[in-house]
Amino acid sequence: MNNLNAAMGITALLFFLLFNGMPVAFAMLTAGAIGIYLINGWEPMVGILTSGPYDHVASFTLSAVPMFVL
């Protein structure tokens, strides 16, 4: 399966999940995880899903937003 077919299939899956009432965040998580699995394989998908959320939340830029609100 080439990358273009995988991208079109994942986009169709995303819209299918959204039209069936799945919340946007979970639909994007599911479609993204399956897309990473189809293109890169199992181990890169697990690595991205375990380290990715922490890397984005632990940034200094995001800590400035709640301090500004306070």
Side-chain angles (χ1 to χ4, degrees), residues 5 7 10-11 13 16 21 28-29 32 40 45 50 56 59-60 63-64:
N5 288 339
I10 294 305
T11 304
L13 173 68
F16 174 77
M28 290 180 72
L29 175 73
N40 293 329
M45 180 192 75
T50 56
H56 291 297
S59 69
F60 177 73
S63 67

Side-chain angles (χ1 to χ4, degrees), residues 2-70:
N2 63 12
N3 291 345
L4 181 62
N5 288 339
M8 291 183 347
I10 294 305
T11 304
L13 173 68
L14 176 65
F15 285 122
F16 174 77
L17 293 174
L18 289 174
F19 287 139
N20 283 326
M22 183 179 268
V24 174
F26 297 123
M28 290 180 72
L29 175 73
T30 303
I34 292 172
I36 293 170
Y37 173 73
L38 289 177
I39 293 174
N40 293 329
W42 178 256
E43 293 201 15
M45 180 192 75
V46 172
I48 290 171
L49 290 178
T50 56
S51 66
Y54 177 76
D55 291 340
H56 291 297
V57 173
S59 69
F60 177 73
T61 306
L62 288 179
S63 67
V65 173
M67 295 299 118
F68 177 77
V69 171
L70 283 176

